[in-house]
Amino acid sequence: MRRLFPSRAAPSSAPQWSLEEIAGEYAYPSPEELGDGGEEGAWLRGNMVASLDGAIHHGGRSRPLSSEADMWIFGVLRGLADVVVVGAETVRQEGYGPARAREAFADRRAASGQAPVPVIAVVTARLELDWSLPLFAEPVVPTLVVTGEGAPADRVEAARRAGAEVVFAGEGAVADPARVPGALAARGLRRQLTEGGPTLLGQFAAAGVLDELCLSLAPRITVGDAPRITRGAGLSVPEDFSLEGVLEEAGFLFTRYRRIRQ
Ligand SMILES: NC(=O)c1ccc[n+]([C@@H]2O[C@H](COP(=O)([O-])OP(=O)(O)OC[C@H]3O[C@@H](n4cnc5c(N)ncnc54)[C@H](OP(=O)(O)O)[C@@H]3O)[C@@H](O)[C@H]2O)c1
């Protein structure tokens, strides 16, 4: 056992972290570590914020649980990713917009061979989305719609007409979560970030493809009946993760865990 907080140093002497330092802390595994690419070369990281009592939204949105530092890390994680994978319900509830190019990441992204912004990939079976949203109508890079081959053909057509690119990952009406990272990696999108919600994150975790979890713990209690960060059928055996890092600001803990591969 060891004490992480309070540390021996006076809080006022805590150094301010630069963007470069935060980006270094959250660096993805190198291309060498990821392997030769193709379907096996994906790294899927989840990023979620939860209250002390485990709620992942308040009034249907995650913003009331967040903080300035949390949003900063959120932005850094996006700045490092090739693709942001998100469930359709989060798009509908949070009015998701397209990723915005940020000057601070321009050189780093260009040097890594990345587009100016991460691609947003919306996972959906029903494809009942508002195609006039800026997410589909005005992205810097075309938004992806990830679904199963059995998805309704007219909805697939509507998505394409709106400018989205449709990625099939699975033969049924729904996408096979185990195949989603590979389908994206096959398009060169290997540094993957999922921003949830709990239904999608639960599916990735249950399928054994969630490599890393960045969990922000907000020093707030909400009560209510909001879900926790994952939902779905439980695993028969809980999966272990190792603690890779903890940052703190204003009582928020920014934790990073990596799945222990058996
Ligand atoms: N605290 C946080 O960090 C955080 C992060 C994200 C979201 N949230 C909150 O979470 C809530 C939404 O979460 P949620 O669990 O209800 O929804 P979700 O995970 O965002 O999305 C669920 C939807 O994704 C699609 N989907 C999921 N798995 C699929 C699969 N295998 N194949 C095809 N489609 C699939 C389905 O879309 P269709 O219905 O279109 O078929 C499903 O209804 C919101 O209130 C949001 O604010 C919080």
Side-chain angles (χ1 to χ4, degrees), residues 179-194:
R179 286 176 55 182
V180 172
L184 296 170
R187 301 173 70 98
L189 305 171
R190 301 167 68 194
R191 287 161 283 201
Q192 303 173 357
L193 171 67
T194 179

Side-chain angles (χ1 to χ4, degrees), residues 133-173:
L133 284 177
L135 177 60
F136 303 105
E138 302 163 18
V140 177
V141 287
T143 294
L144 302 180
V145 167
V146 182
T147 190
E149 280 162 21
D154 57 329
R155 305 300 306 163
V156 168
E157 198 38 47
R160 287 190 171 130
R161 268 200 313 275
E165 290 180 19
V166 180
V167 177
F168 294 108
E171 284 136 30

